[in-house]
């Protein structure tokens, strides 16, 4: 049997990625690093907090678009439930709005998936040391794009519209009047310079505002 030459104190990592092949590949590649140990793997956003509470990782490596709930929402909960765990967002979608939301949720880093695994391993070590690690091109884009113009309620109304729900359905879901929902949707359409709510949803998603 080959000996494990890991140091006595490895960096404990939780990995959240919905694509099984990608999750397995990342776990395998990170496991080859002598000072990194993947202690938990989950495929859905609503499994992240419970897995972190059980495994007590040093760093949580989270995708954004996950079934159940987003990695950004889970990141905010991790800050409350497992405050010693540093969060590093790793996503295919390098959108300025996502970066801003990740930082607001308490993430310590934000990288896109097209980088080498050595860069990812280095980022894990750096956030554990207390550094903030952000993809440089994305940071520049976020600064130029500015914050999301949508209010929290306008964002909620657009999210509730994703599956083609009627105004009445959205009103029930958000516990608002139909006229109020129409006002929020109209305002969101105007702010995204689109013609209807489905175009507004697409535009807001492209910017990472949803």
């Amino acid at each position: 049997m080959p000996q494990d030459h890991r140091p006595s104190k490895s960096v404990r990592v939780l990995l959240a990625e919905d694509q099984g092949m990608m999750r397995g590949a990342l776990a395998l590649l990170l496991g080859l690093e002598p000072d990194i140990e993947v202690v938990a793997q989950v495929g859905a956003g609503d499994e992240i907090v419970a897995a972190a509470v059980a495994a007590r990782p040093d760093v949580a490596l989270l995708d954004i678009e996950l079934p159940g709930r987003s990695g950004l929402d889970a990141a905010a909960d991790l800050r409350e439930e497992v405050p010693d765990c540093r969060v590093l967002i790793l996503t295919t979608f390098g959108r300025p709005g996502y970066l801003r939301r990740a930082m607001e949720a308490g993430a310590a880093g934000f990288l896109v998936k097209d980088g080498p695994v050595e860069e990812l391993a280095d980022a894990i070590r750096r956030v554990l040391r207390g550094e903030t690690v952000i993809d440089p091109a994305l940071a520049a884009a976020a600064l130029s794009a500015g914050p999301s113009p949508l209010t929290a309620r306008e964002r909620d109304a657009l999210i509730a519209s994703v599956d083609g729900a009627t105004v009445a359905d959205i009103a029930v879901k958000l516990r608002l009047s139909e006229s109020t929902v129409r006002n929020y949707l109209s305002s969101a359409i105007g702010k995204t310079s689109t013609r209807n709510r489905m175009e507004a949803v697409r535009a807001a998603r492209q910017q990472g505002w949803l």
Side-chain angles (χ1 to χ4, degrees), residues 9-29:
K9 177 61 176 173
S10 295
V11 182
R12 296 168 58 81
V13 173
L14 177 148
L15 179 58
E17 162 64 53
D18 63 326
Q19 297 182 22
M21 187 176 294
M22 172 68 77
R23 186 172 66 248
L26 279 173
L28 179 62
L29 291 170

Side-chain angles (χ1 to χ4, degrees), residues 88-157:
L88 179 58
I89 299 294
L90 180 67
T91 181
T92 304
F93 306 102
R95 297 168 181 166
Y98 279 165
L99 173 58
R100 286 183 174 274
R101 288 170 57 199
M103 296 300 103
E104 290 169 359
F110 194 111
L111 296 176
V112 291
K113 290 180 181 178
D114 59 359
V117 71
E118 293 83 8
E119 181 179 296
L120 175 59
D122 183 58
I124 289 171
R125 299 179 186 106
R126 289 173 61 190
V127 298
L128 190 60
R129 292 197 298 265
E131 298 181 39
T132 299
V133 182
I134 300 173
D135 179 88
L138 185 57
L143 288 173
S144 63
S148 169
L150 301 175
T151 66
R153 274 309 201 180
E154 289 165 357
R155 180 173 174 269
D156 289 342

Side-chain angles (χ1 to χ4, degrees), residues 16 44-49 62-81 87 89 98 100-107 110 155-156 159 208-210:
D46 50 10
E47 299 172 352
I48 291 172
V49 174
L62 310 182
D63 195 1
I64 291 178
E65 298 193 354
L66 295 166
R69 67 193 311 232
S70 78
L72 296 177
D73 291 335
D77 285 346
L78 283 177
R79 182 169 54 180
E80 298 296 326
E81 299 292 334
V87 172
I89 299 294
Y98 279 165
R100 286 183 174 274
R101 288 170 57 199
M103 296 300 103
E104 290 169 359
F110 194 111
R155 180 173 174 269
D156 289 342
I159 290 172
W209 296 336
L210 299 186

Side-chain angles (χ1 to χ4, degrees), residues 47-61:
E47 299 172 352
I48 291 172
V49 174
V53 169
R56 292 289 162 176
D58 301 306
V59 177
L61 188 60

